[in-house]
Amino acid sequence: MTPDETTLAYLWQEQALTTDLRTTDGRRLRVIYRGVWTHRRGPDFAGALLDLDGKLVSGDVELHVRASDWYAHGHHEDPAYDRVVLHAAWEDDLHHAVRRRDGTPVPTLELARFLATTPDQLPSVSLRPLGALGFAHCAPEIAAAQPEILHRLFENAGDNRLREKVARIQARLSGESPAQTLFWLLADALGYHQNREGMRAIAEGLPLMHLEVRLYALAPEKRFPMAAALLLGTAGFLPLSDAERGLVKLPARLWQEIEAIWNALEMPVGPARTLWRLGGVRPTNHPVRRLLNLAGLLATTHSGLLADVLELLVTVRPHRQLFAWLRAGPVPLGHDRAHEVIVNVIIPFALGYADWIADDRIREAAAQLWLELPAGRGNQLVRATLEQVCGPTPIRLRSARAEQGLLHLYHWGCRERRCWECPVAHLVLSRSSSPSA
């Protein structure tokens, strides 16, 4: 029976393959690291490391039932597949290498020839969840017996990640206004993974100063349609299609007002639609919705973006106040994304800005919020890294610091395969060599 692509993903993740691998063009193949499953957001496994006929190759791996699916799925025209270095297909029905968009041939491994187990026997193998980072868990005994130690380790790693963000923000502050830096960071965060480049281009092509000059000359009820027109129009989305309008529930008259404002402005269109990655993007992450989120935030400020954010930060309950602002407006942010904006934008920006202007009040408010902010629901990388460290029964995270620490461990350690430098590995080794361990 021919397996489906999910079964192939398990086969590849578990590396249930023989050791004498050869590509269809005869080259020896050794899988040093099989990469991490991407939940089908682009190539199936990202960040693989392969030994291909004695040459180290790093990149992505794409899986298919038939080799011809590469072309049937349009990967030969998709820039997201420009880093694919191995095409692993159950059946090679092409008998020649596929090619990436840039014309580079990608070697094919015909999986059916090199199985160490049959697909129907795969469930009997001890399977990790798809998306697992490694093959063996790092510290399941410590997680079960002394989770507090890992909590402290995660939070310390989160502090390291925060320091890196603050340093990058301070570098930006040396070259542009603080308000523009905050605006750029917000746009970047709202771009999520697929559309950060486009959102950054909007923030740079339509500076906050130009937006605020137009917005604050208007009555408050007129600011959102103006902000929406400027952002959507500059992004190349106006006029909107019916499908794009359906992404956000706004009255028909408001859509008409937004498009009428843009037509009257006679401004140049910014990034072409080709800059935006729309395939496979969830409706809540579509650039149209994210641009409207940004328009709502700008329209609901009273004294300007920078002044309002700092005022909310130094209130008695900044956590609640910032959430209320981020989740207000005609197109509010969801709870999880609002949490991410506070963690990844507002706190590091405030710390960097406070150091820049030597303001202890802002610094202390941001630092206190960092210490007190509870954990969110985390993203896939947080969950995968936590599972990798703790095993099948991960500890419960209590703080945003710990979540950020797991992301730091992933990006700095797991993704770079620097296990020998990882503080979790050092902890395990120190305990195993301790006489009382």
Side-chain angles (χ1 to χ4, degrees), residues 191-209:
Y192 204 47
H193 297 304
Q194 298 98 321
N195 286 296
R196 282 188 157 175
E197 182 182 357
M199 294 294 283
R200 291 167 182 166
I202 295 299
E204 292 163 4
L206 187 63
L208 178 67
M209 179 179 66

Side-chain angles (χ1 to χ4, degrees), residues 174-376:
S174 66
E176 65 185 10
S177 72
Q180 177 62 22
T181 295
L182 177 57
F183 179 55
W184 187 93
L185 292 168
L186 277 172
D188 174 61
L190 292 177
Y192 204 47
H193 297 304
Q194 298 98 321
N195 286 296
R196 282 188 157 175
E197 182 182 357
M199 294 294 283
R200 291 167 182 166
I202 295 299
E204 292 163 4
L206 187 63
L208 178 67
M209 179 179 66
H210 296 172
L211 278 163
E212 290 189 335
V213 164
R214 289 182 179 272
L215 294 180
Y216 296 120
L218 300 173
E221 68 273 10
K222 294 294 184 181
R223 291 175 184 173
F224 175 73
M226 173 60 79
L230 288 166
L231 291 168
L232 291 174
T234 303
F237 283 109
L238 294 180
L240 291 165
S241 67
D242 290 341
E244 288 165 343
R245 289 189 181 196
L247 294 166
V248 182
K249 291 183 179 180
L250 291 178
R253 60 170 180 77
L254 185 52
W255 285 125
Q256 293 167 3
E257 183 180 0
I258 290 169
E259 295 192 5
I261 290 172
W262 175 250
N263 292 334
L265 289 172
E266 298 183 349
M267 291 178 60
V269 176
R273 280 188 179 236
T274 54
L275 184 63
W276 303 101
R277 293 180 58 185
L278 305 180
V281 175
R282 296 177 180 177
T284 54
N285 291 329
H286 194 285
V288 166
R289 186 174 186 89
R290 291 306 178 199
L291 289 164
L292 291 172
N293 291 144
L294 189 56
L297 294 177
L298 296 175
T300 54
T301 57
H302 304 290
S303 304
L305 179 65
L306 177 63
D308 277 23
V309 168
L310 294 178
E311 183 181 347
L312 292 171
L313 179 66
V314 297
T315 54
V316 176
R317 296 179 178 177
H319 180 197
R320 293 185 181 181
Q321 299 288 347
L322 288 166
F323 261 100
W325 171 62
L326 289 166
R327 303 200 66 199
V331 188
L333 282 174
H335 183 276
D336 292 345
R337 188 51 49 87
H339 186 274
E340 291 180 15
V341 167
I342 293 173
V343 172
N344 294 308
V345 176
I346 294 175
I347 291 175
F349 170 80
L351 289 170
Y353 178 66
D355 284 346
W356 193 61
I357 63 170
D359 190 314
D360 289 339
R361 185 181 181 215
I362 295 173
R363 182 187 299 110
E364 290 171 7
Q368 191 63 32
L369 181 57
W370 173 249
L371 294 175
E372 295 176 353
L373 193 65

Side-chain angles (χ1 to χ4, degrees), residues 22-26 64-69 71 87-98 106-113:
R22 284 187 178 268
T23 60
T24 54
D25 58 3
H64 283 128
V65 175
R66 289 169 293 278
S68 58
D69 290 340
Y71 294 104
H87 185 210
W90 176 257
E91 173 192 354
D92 178 24
D93 60 340
L94 289 178
H95 308 295
H96 61 76
V98 299
V106 181
T108 298
L109 175 70
E110 190 170 27
L111 292 170
R113 296 172 51 198

Side-chain angles (χ1 to χ4, degrees), residues 14-27:
E14 296 297 319
Q15 283 296 289
L17 305 170
T18 61
T19 57
D20 59 340
L21 302 178
R22 284 187 178 268
T23 60
T24 54
D25 58 3
R27 284 181 282 179

Side-chain angles (χ1 to χ4, degrees), residues 72 78 86 101 112 119 141 170 239 254 256 325 339 353 409 415 421 435:
D78 190 340
L86 181 69
R101 183 182 62 122
E141 295 84 4
Q170 288 175 332
L254 185 52
Q256 293 167 3
W325 171 62
H339 186 274
Y353 178 66
L409 292 175
R415 187 178 66 177
E421 298 178 60

